[in-house]
Every structure is written in structure tokens, then in C-alpha cells.
Amino acid sequence: MATATEKLSNLKPAVAGLNQISENEKNGFINLVTRYLSGEAQHVEWSKIQTPTDEVVVPYDSLAPTPDASSEIKNLLDKLVVLKLNGGLGTTMGCTGPKSVIEVRDGLTFLDLIVIQIENLNSKYGSSVPLLLMNSFNTHDDTQKIIEKYQNSNIEIHTFNQSQYPRLVVDDFLPLPSKGHTGKDGWYPPGHGDVFPSLMNSGKLDALLSQGKEYVFVANSDNLGAIVDLKILNHLIQNKNEYCMEVTPKTLADVKGGTLISYEGRVQLLEIAQVPDEHVSEFKSIEKFKIFNTNNLWVNLKAIKRLVEADALKMEIIPNPKEVDGIKVLQLETAAGAAIRFFDRAIGINVPRSRFLPVKATSDLLLVQSDLYTLEDGYVIRNKARANPENPSIELGPEFKKVSNFLSRFKSIPSIVELDSLKVAGDVWFGAGVILKGKVSIVAKPGAKLEIPDGAVIANKEINDPEDL
């Protein structure tokens, strides 16, 4: 086995020869690999973990109300930039192109809704909140074409690319592109922790600071709940918090999400990968770790500049092994949430669950396209008629995995306001105006087609063949 020093001395000239990427990217990559090889893994001493107090993870209800005067609100908004992480493709949902162009509801895409929301804010208060999209090399070209349709809207849209790093061949620790893999599969975007150096390297950070902007609200483009919240922004400005992570109470569906802890006097993110094996079940319990990271983050722009310039953002490295054409490769990534411990006066805010509504699969699409939600001014609002604060759990079989298949199997999306859980598997087709209540399981027998007729009302039932209807 080559030593770390040998690996690095072979890697450096190989990376220097990659002319597809900038000097900043080459340096950033070598820094990341150097940190990885030095083995500075963050092992957390379990006995030192403390549950954060309300000073550190502030309850949302305790925030001061938003100022009434619209001039004060405009003043707040003029300090804000909204940044959506737009590097992901819609491949897991069977779509080509950026995930943010999947239609969510009423023919509108994630990106349409985001633009409508910010336009409404700007029109209502006379503010000028810009939208930034951080693309990856996978989504950049498509996104540039897509945003042309917004050129007449009341919103400034800026795009920039996150870094492009070479995948590392596990066997000899050399970059995959220098071995003839010059296509996209030789490269990877190094996770959203890269948002901070990329903002700086793109020149966007300095441009925003020169316009008097103070805070950036960062969120995943597929989280429909991540809307601008004036109470949060006001709180951060009043209390000079450089960083805020929105957290929300865990349910059993969120056991793998990262949580905030107090550790050696600072607030930090604890991810499942950092947890020693013997404590994993404790980490997953809802008793000890009651909250998880929504990845809605509010960060002070001057603080980002200070820390990036000092090369102080040394977030935990997440090694992500992959295989390309039978070659084992490694991609090293970082997460933006892990940066919390480097910022001064960093806090979490324990927000309502409504601020976390991600669409990761067609089962989530079913929720947001149903009568459980309505659309108002670009905002997806939950139906008051549903008594249960938790959403129904929905499990759809592989026949529904791709958006196109999902849409073709529903004549219209069923009513699910009174649904507790739904399991669908096999060759199932839904008619129009179907109503589902309680616990419903619809599983077609292998080779059999199961059609749910128009207007069917199914309550607390298991259905396996047409007779069960």
C-alpha cells in the first residue's frame, strides 16, 4: 500500500494536468484529499454530547413577531438573498434534466413555484430579493435554457456552478479523467458543503455584499416548505447570529436525519455516519435526539467571506464509494449543515413541520398533488380539513417509480385527507375521483391487472383482486 504522502505526490501532477477545471477547483480538490488522507475523521466522544438548550435551538413560537410596517419589512428583505441548491438530476424519479423542472402541481415546476413566491414578495413590498441557483455541471446547461422564460419577471436570477472534482480510482488513487474517462462520469460535484467556496470563487459573494445584502437563505430546490420566513430573518439580524439551521421534530420516518448537539461549548451537526456502531440505535431513537436538520440554512454573507478566505471551513468529509464501468471509485463530499460549528453565535430554530416538505419520490408527489394541499401564490398550503398533524405514509411499488408511469396510472389523484397509510404494489390503475380513508393496501396479484373504478371509496381495506372491491 502506498503511504498518504506517496498517494498525494502522485496525485498532484495528475490533477495539475486536468485542463477541464479551474485552478481554484484543483486546489480545493487537493485540499480535500489531503484532509481525507490525514485521517482527521471527526470521531465524537459520546459522553461529551449534550442536548442543546432553548438558547441554542430556539423554539419557533418564541421568535418576536415580524414588524408591521411594510417599510420595515422591505428593509429586512433588501438584506436577503435566496439560494436554491439546483445540482441534482431527476433520475431517481425517471426524469431527464434538473430535478427542479419536474412539474409539482397545476403544471408548475419547483422552479416556477420558487420564482412566483419571490416575485410576490418583491411586488408586495417593493423589495429586490434575488434568486441564486447553484448548479452542478450536470444541470448547468439545461438550467440556463430554462430560466430564459423568467426574463420578464420581477426577480433577478443568478446562476453559478459548484465545483467539479475528479472521481478517484480506489486502486491507485489517481483521477479517473486522467485514465481516459473524460466524459461526465469521470467527475462529480462534491456535495452542498461546496456552496460556500463556490459562492466566493464565482464572484457572486462579493457582488452581493456590494449591493448591501447580508444573509443568504439556502435550501434544497425540492423542499416545497422552504419559503422565506421574515420572523427568522428578523431574529437573526437582531441577534447577530451568523448561521441558523432550521430543525424540526423527528418522526419515525426521519430517523436517519442529522441532529444538532451541544459539544465542547459549540453547536454542531451530528450525522449518522459519525455515530459509533454501539450508539446507532440510540441516535435513531426519538427520545434522546428529538430534532433533525431540514437543510434550510440561513447564513451571514460577511461571515462566509471571512471563513472561506481563512480556509477555516473544514467540514467532516463524507466518502461516497461508486463504481464506473466496473472501476471502483471514491468521491469525497461535504455537507453545508456541518459548517454550523465554524460560525459565531450559530443557532438552530425548531420550526413547524410545514417548512419541511421535500419531494424525493413519486409517493411525495402524490401527497402534494392531492387534496391534502392547495396552491396559493406559489405556496403549497396544507388542507385545514385534515385533523392529523402528520401526513399519511405512502408506499408505491416500482410500477409507480417514474413520474410518467405514476401519472399514467392515476386518472386523477385520489382524495387522501382522511388517509392514514397507503400501500400500492403490482399492476394497479386508479380511476377518477377515488377516495381513500384509514389504512388501505392495494396489491395486485402477479400477472393480474387491478383497476380501481371511478368514484370508488375505499376505507380500511386490503384489496388483492377485483372481487375485494
Side-chain angles (χ1 to χ4, degrees):
M1 275 298 282
T3 64
T5 318
E6 287 164 352
K7 283 178 177 172
L8 270 177
S9 58
N10 292 336
L11 182 64
K12 282 176 180 169
V15 170
L18 298 172
N19 49 15
Q20 302 93 322
I21 56 174
S22 68
E23 288 306 309
N24 277 333
E25 286 168 314
K26 291 175 187 177
N27 294 335
F29 178 66
I30 292 291
N31 278 346
L32 192 61
V33 176
T34 306
R35 282 210 296 131
Y36 174 71
L37 288 173
S38 74
E40 59 158 68
Q42 273 306 114
H43 283 297
V44 176
E45 274 190 58
W46 203 252
S47 57
K48 289 186 179 175
I49 291 177
Q50 292 179 309
T51 303
T53 62
D54 283 1
E55 278 75 60
V56 180
V57 175
V58 182
Y60 183 81
D61 293 340
S62 74
L63 300 180
T66 310
D68 290 331
S70 67
S71 62
E72 287 184 64
I73 292 176
K74 176 187 184 308
N75 198 12
L76 279 178
L77 287 171
D78 282 340
K79 296 176 175 170
L80 181 68
V81 181
V82 174
L83 190 159
K84 298 289 180 176
L85 302 169
N86 189 50
L89 294 165
T91 37
T92 45
M93 294 169 74
C95 298
T96 53
K99 187 175 179 187
S100 57
V101 301
I102 293 176
E103 287 188 7
V104 181
R105 195 171 168 127
D106 305 356
L108 299 168
T109 65
F110 289 105
L111 213 45
D112 292 337
L113 296 177
I114 290 162
V115 169
I116 293 166
Q117 291 163 13
I118 299 177
E119 267 197 308
N120 285 333
L121 273 180
N122 285 341
S123 304
K124 186 173 177 183
Y125 297 108
S127 55
S128 57
V129 177
L131 171 64
L132 264 72
L133 299 172
M134 181 167 86
N135 302 324
S136 66
F137 60 86
N138 288 317
T139 59
H140 176 259
D141 293 350
D142 287 338
T143 302
Q144 294 308 96
K145 290 192 199 84
I146 290 154
I147 60 173
E148 284 173 14
K149 72 173 184 179
Y150 306 120
Q151 54 197 11
N152 299 323
S153 45
N154 179 23
I155 177 176
E156 240 184 82
I157 302 179
H158 301 270
T159 60
F160 67 101
N161 262 11
Q162 76 172 113
S163 306
Q164 174 173 339
Y165 286 175
R167 285 176 160 157
L168 278 172
V169 178
V170 172
D171 278 351
D172 55 12
F173 232 69
L174 288 173
L176 190 58
S178 57
K179 304 192 153 196
H181 279 264
T182 48
K184 279 191 175 169
D185 61 2
W187 307 89
Y188 74 100
H192 44 60
D194 184 53
V195 63
F196 305 118
S198 293
L199 254 181
M200 179 90 176
N201 292 338
S202 64
K204 298 290 177 196
L205 184 58
D206 285 332
L208 294 166
L209 284 167
S210 70
Q211 292 166 19
K213 304 298 179 190
E214 292 181 22
Y215 278 87
V216 60
F217 173 38
V218 179
N220 296 353
S221 60
D222 65 6
N223 179 6
L224 296 169
I227 60 180
V228 170
D229 187 298
L230 292 162
K231 273 173 71 167
I232 295 178
L233 179 60
N234 186 45
H235 181 89
L236 302 180
I237 291 171
Q238 296 302 322
N239 293 280
K240 298 185 170 54
N241 302 110
E242 289 188 345
Y243 186 110
C244 164
M245 173 185 289
E246 293 184 40
V247 294
T248 198
K250 250 197 234 182
T251 66
L252 290 170
D254 317 301
V255 292
K256 289 184 177 164
T259 191
L260 283 182
I261 56 172
S262 288
Y263 192 79
E264 298 183 329
R266 288 186 91 82
V267 59
Q268 76 179 54
L269 183 66
L270 177 66
E271 295 274 15
I272 193 161
Q274 296 162 267
V275 177
D277 291 345
E278 65 271 22
H279 293 292
V280 166
S281 57
E282 194 182 342
F283 176 82
K284 286 181 172 178
S285 84
I286 302 181
E287 276 68 59
K288 178 161 181 176
F289 300 104
K290 295 183 165 68
I291 51 171
F292 76 98
N293 169 23
T294 62
N295 217 39
N296 299 348
L297 310 170
W298 302 71
V299 195
N300 179 281
L301 292 169
K302 278 188 181 143
I304 295 174
K305 184 175 166 76
R306 180 186 81 235
L307 291 168
V308 172
E309 283 181 340
D311 194 22
L313 294 175
K314 297 192 186 313
M315 283 90 89
E316 291 75 15
I317 296 171
I318 306 153
N320 187 354
K322 300 261 180 187
E323 205 167 284
V324 180
D325 297 340
I327 303 168
K328 287 189 164 52
V329 296
L330 186 62
Q331 43 191 61
L332 303 177
E333 303 173 8
T334 62
I340 188 166
R341 62 194 177 96
F342 301 106
F343 288 84
D344 293 335
R345 303 178 71 91
I347 58 167
I349 293 182
N350 194 345
V351 298
R353 182 77 189 200
S354 58
R355 295 190 55 75
F356 184 66
L357 185 58
V359 178
K360 300 289 181 197
T362 49
S363 51
D364 301 319
L365 217 44
L366 177 60
L367 290 173
V368 299
Q369 292 186 352
S370 74
D371 55 352
L372 204 52
Y373 290 93
T374 51
L375 197 57
E376 294 170 37
D377 298 338
Y379 299 110
V380 178
I381 315 249
R382 202 159 181 272
N383 188 339
K384 301 267 193 298
R386 180 169 175 89
N388 185 343
E390 288 191 21
N391 278 345
S393 76
I394 294 184
E395 190 186 327
L396 300 177
E399 300 78 7
F400 291 81
K401 186 174 177 179
K402 292 183 170 177
V403 174
S404 53
N405 298 353
F406 164 83
L407 293 171
S408 67
R409 287 177 178 272
F410 289 98
K411 232 191 243 180
S412 72
I413 299 291
S415 163
I416 58 171
V417 174
E418 296 178 52
L419 179 71
D420 295 322
S421 67
L422 171 67
K423 181 183 179 177
V424 184
D427 190 11
V428 180
W429 300 78
F430 288 81
V434 173
I435 299 174
L436 304 174
K437 301 179 178 188
K439 291 187 165 70
V440 177
S441 167
I442 305 171
V443 179
K445 292 181 171 151
K449 181 176 182 179
L450 188 50
E451 298 189 55
I452 310 297
D454 293 356
V457 178
I458 303 173
N460 292 309
K461 232 175 172 180
E462 267 190 50
I463 293 171
N464 299 109
D465 52 44
E467 287 73 74
D468 296 336
L469 290 156

